[in-house]
Amino acid sequence: MNSDLKRPKGWKELPAGAVLPAGTAVEYHTGSWRTFKPVWIEKKCIHCLQCWIICPDFSVLVKDQKFDRFDYDHCKGCGLCAYICPVKGKAIVMEKEVKE
Ligand code: SF4
Ligand code: SF4
């Protein structure tokens, strides 16, 4: 173990990390964290909205009680929506993110 590293005695000695404004994270485009992105296959979708229920980032957008699109600004690419999709062959597939 490196003896130069000083172990903090408590949380007050920890250096400040990221500071988020209270109440909202909308301005933080966490979609840039993705390595995989969900892609919707419209012709297979039965609009059961299980993907909307399970998405932890509210990134499945619904219009007129049907799947509309993903909010790629905030989707972190966890893949839960693809996992839960009940359609045979899946109406959501995860694809490698291509950074521009
Ligand atoms: S879970 Fe699959 S079938 Fe259901 S709305 Fe989402 S994409 Fe469509
Ligand atoms: S990949 Fe995860 S964060 Fe993105 S839409 Fe699906 S469930 Fe939501």
Side-chain angles (χ1 to χ4, degrees):
M1 188 171 160
N2 187 342
S3 59
D4 292 342
L5 290 175
K6 198 176 134 212
R7 193 179 178 88
K9 290 191 178 118
W11 66 270
K12 289 181 180 175
E13 289 184 19
L14 292 173
V19 178
L20 297 175
T24 180
V26 170
E27 291 170 23
Y28 290 87
H29 288 184
T30 48
S32 64
W33 300 2
R34 272 194 316 268
T35 50
F36 286 86
K37 72 187 283 189
V39 176
W40 182 51
I41 303 168
E42 183 174 3
K43 64 182 179 198
K44 289 186 179 175
C45 182
I46 58 172
H47 300 283
C48 65
L49 299 183
Q50 290 192 43
C51 52
W52 173 77
I53 292 169
I54 203 168
C55 176
D57 288 313
F58 302 102
S59 295
V60 173
L61 304 181
V62 172
K63 188 175 179 188
D64 297 329
Q65 299 181 14
K66 291 186 171 183
F67 183 107
D68 184 37
R69 59 195 161 88
F70 289 111
D71 170 3
Y72 286 122
D73 283 344
H74 299 97
C75 161
K76 297 193 194 86
C78 67
L80 284 173
C81 53
Y83 174 79
I84 201 74
C85 180
V87 173
K88 191 174 179 194
K90 302 289 183 184
I92 299 172
V93 293
M94 300 301 290
E95 292 185 357
K96 188 114 174 116
E97 181 76 47
V98 179
K99 303 283 183 196
E100 293 164 15

